[in-house]
Structures are given as C-alpha cells and as structure tokens.
Amino acid sequence: MESALTLNTGARMPVLGLGTWKSSRGEVTEAVKAAILTGYRHIDGAHVYENEKEVGAGIRAMIDQGVVKREELFIVSKLWCTYHERSLVRGACEKTLSDLKLDYLDLYLMHFPMGFQPGEKLFPFDAEGQVIPDNSSFLETWEEMEKLVDAGLVKAIGISNFNRSQIEAVLNKPGLKHKPVNNQIECHPYLTQEKLINFCHSKGITVTAYSPLGSPESPWANADELSHLKDPQIRAIADKYKKTTAQVLIRFHIERNVAVIPKSTNPGRIKENFQVFDFKLSKEDMNAILSFNRNWRVFPMDWASKHKDFPLNTEY
C-alpha cells in the first residue's frame, strides 16, 4: 500500500495521487477506476477542470463494486477563483460535492490566492487579456472555508499557488480557526521550489507537487519547451535504476516528503506511475536532479500578473 503524509489535523494523505487536469470527460471516469484498481487512494480534482461529474462516476463505481470504501479514499477538490466572495464559497463546495456524489471532501484547497469577478465565465478577462478581480481578499475567503470544516462538508482545508507572505498572512490571521494543511504548487526538476517547500514544512504544512512531469500535455506546451521526460540527464538516472523517467520524476518528490499527482488517462501509464515504492534515489542523484532547477514554469500565470494578489512577483 502506498505511503502517506500526516496532515496537521492528524489525517493521513497518500503521497501519490491521480491528477485529473486536462483529463477529458470521456476518459477520466475510466482513468479513476483504473487508478483505484491499481492501488491509488488519492484523487486530485477541481471545479475548474470541468470534469468532476465524471471523476465522481469513477469513484462511485469503485465504491459500489466493493473495490474500496469511501473512508479509504482521499479526495481533493479546489474552490475556483470566481467563488471567492463570502456568499459564494459554500455553494461552490456543495456543487463540487454534488458533482462528485460525495458527502464530504478530505481536502478542499483555495485554487489561487486571487478572487475573480463572479459569473458564468471561469476566466473573466478584460480587453488587455488580464483577469478581472472581484472585491474579496483571500483572508475573508479562508474564513468561509473554515466554516466548511465546521459544517462537516470537508475534513481539511488548504491552499494552492500561495507564496510565503500569503501563507504567513493566513497563519497570522487574527482568530484563525483552521490552519492550512497543504499547499499545492507547481514543482518539478526545472522548478524545485526548495525555499517554499522548506518554509511550508517548517510551518507544519504539507506540499503537493502539480505538473511533476512538466505537463507535456498542457495546451501551450510546444516542441521547443523543456521536456523532463526527454531530458538526457534524467533519462540517464532512470536507466541506472531500470526505471522510466516518469517514475524517477515522481520518486524525486516522494523522497522530499512532497505528495505528487501525475495526470494520466492511459491505464498502462497509470500503473507505471504507481510503481515507485520499490526503489529509492541516492543522495547524489537527488542533488543532481535538484541542480537542474532553472525557475522555469509551465504556468507563469501571465493572465493574472496585474492582480493585487498575484503570487509570483516575489522570490518564493
């Protein structure tokens, strides 16, 4: 069985999960079923991925078939930015629960520290292609998320794409009721996030790495962009362990006590990505992979660079 990280609530979060971003509705139900049959118990999703009904169908099928019990699963979703205003938070969470056909989430993250103009559009842009903000602050949004824990809709709450000063603002908020248990951030050998991970760990906040394979399928990935899966230095390390580059990239996070959520809809790949508990990377190889850092992001979030709470205009 996969190993797990202990959250500051005492709950255990499996260190390896299935990512579902960019997983098409037609494929993601089968991907979730294949993952659970393989042994995955952590499924990562979000409202903005627009596939939660299909993710939920996969989860429900496995529970109904007796493959797994609900309490053995760790299901994560995320509050989208257009629901940051106080009056919208609970409804957004309830919509996710109803799409997933679940009574509760194990972890609900604030997807970004930035609120967007509420409405039908997930990304409300102005004429310059910048996202239109709402009138919220992420501290007010956090207070509403705390109420979801108290109401039993979610077991724990966390954050995503927050920088150090934004995390400190939450931790130092007067009257804080529930500490964030997790910060989900982009992380891979070209963006190793050492300072931010160390900071989170020092505060008892676990970290989950998204795009651990460098998101080869992201819509804006082009042939010239850096591909971790083809990097000859990473491939050389993989050959040494008789593993694939993807397996080494996943293990790299596990060695750092960082949870990792590779996305795939290919059943063979889903299985392969889970075969990472039978080897360890040496300290030398870990240091070699860390040395590949070049602060390169799959998601530079240029479309939000003028938002008051844009998280990337600081060192970490």
Side-chain angles (χ1 to χ4, degrees):
M1 194 47 215
E2 58 179 321
S3 55
L5 303 176
T6 302
L7 305 180
N8 59 38
T9 55
R12 302 269 290 160
M13 176 173 78
V15 73
L16 179 59
L18 178 74
T20 60
W21 181 67
K22 296 306 288 179
S23 295
S24 74
R25 290 177 184 167
E27 297 177 314
V28 76
T29 299
E30 291 308 313
V32 167
K33 294 197 309 206
I36 291 171
L37 286 166
T38 296
Y40 289 74
R41 295 296 177 259
H42 171 175
I43 309 290
D44 180 86
H47 174 72
V48 77
Y49 304 163
E50 299 186 90
N51 59 9
E52 289 201 303
K53 283 189 170 140
E54 293 74 18
V55 168
I59 294 169
R60 182 52 49 199
M62 292 292 94
I63 293 173
D64 290 347
Q65 288 169 34
V67 173
V68 72
K69 296 188 178 81
R70 168 65 186 97
E71 56 271 23
E72 294 168 336
L73 294 171
F74 193 95
I75 310 298
V76 183
S77 186
K78 308 179 193 86
L79 175 73
W80 185 241
C81 306
T82 52
Y83 302 97
H84 275 215
E85 294 195 355
R86 283 186 183 274
S87 61
L88 303 176
V89 173
R90 179 160 177 152
C93 181
E94 287 172 337
K95 168 82 170 99
T96 279
L97 286 170
S98 114
D99 284 351
L100 290 169
K101 297 199 165 41
L102 296 176
D103 299 327
Y104 68 90
L105 294 169
D106 294 277
L107 177 58
Y108 197 44
L109 303 176
M110 197 184 313
H111 208 144
F112 286 93
M114 306 177 283
F116 301 170
Q117 179 185 64
E120 288 302 296
K121 289 185 178 149
L122 292 169
F123 287 91
F125 289 126
D126 65 16
E128 273 81 67
Q130 281 287 313
V131 78
I132 302 166
D134 64 5
N135 298 311
S136 72
S137 85
F138 60 80
L139 294 178
E140 294 167 350
T141 307
W142 187 257
E143 288 177 0
E144 296 306 312
M145 289 178 68
E146 290 181 317
K147 294 175 187 172
L148 303 175
V149 181
D150 296 337
L153 298 180
V154 306
K155 299 268 189 207
I157 48 177
I159 52 188
S160 181
N161 301 297
F162 274 55
N163 65 35
R164 176 182 176 149
S165 66
Q166 291 169 330
I167 297 166
E168 284 180 326
V170 175
L171 293 175
N172 297 330
K173 191 186 82 60
L176 182 72
K177 248 187 131 171
H178 298 290
K179 262 178 75 168
V181 303
N182 178 259
N183 187 20
Q184 186 176 125
I185 56 176
E186 179 181 343
C187 189
H188 42 71
Y190 301 155
L191 182 69
T192 52
Q193 298 272 28
E194 288 176 78
K195 287 184 173 173
L196 186 54
I197 289 170
N198 288 339
F199 173 73
C200 288
H201 285 171
S202 77
K203 298 293 180 186
I205 299 169
T206 60
V207 175
T208 299
Y210 73 73
S211 298
L213 313 180
S215 272
E217 300 176 44
S218 71
W220 42 84
N222 62 49
D224 321 325
E225 278 189 351
L226 308 163
S227 170
H228 298 75
L229 296 173
K230 297 194 181 79
D231 187 309
Q233 292 173 283
I234 297 173
R235 187 167 276 175
I237 292 171
D239 289 345
K240 189 160 85 177
Y241 293 92
K242 299 188 170 52
K243 287 287 179 180
T244 65
T245 47
Q247 287 166 334
V248 165
L249 291 167
I250 292 164
R251 185 73 210 179
F252 166 67
H253 297 289
I254 295 173
E255 297 280 353
R256 305 170 80 196
N257 284 317
V258 168
V260 55
I261 46 171
K263 171 258 161 177
S264 181
T265 52
N266 172 317
R269 199 89 27 78
I270 287 169
K271 273 202 183 78
E272 176 192 298
N273 289 348
F274 198 74
Q275 287 159 0
V276 291
F277 295 102
D278 57 356
F279 76 109
K280 282 176 85 72
L281 295 167
S282 70
K283 199 157 176 27
E284 295 72 39
D285 290 328
M286 283 298 293
N287 288 336
I289 297 170
L290 286 168
S291 77
F292 302 155
N293 181 55
R294 47 189 95 169
N295 295 324
W296 175 83
R297 290 180 185 273
V298 177
F299 299 97
M301 304 178 209
D302 303 331
W303 39 267
S305 59
K306 298 202 168 73
H307 194 289
K308 69 176 168 64
D309 295 315
F310 181 65
L312 304 185
N313 50 13
T314 166
E315 187 201 353
Y316 71 100

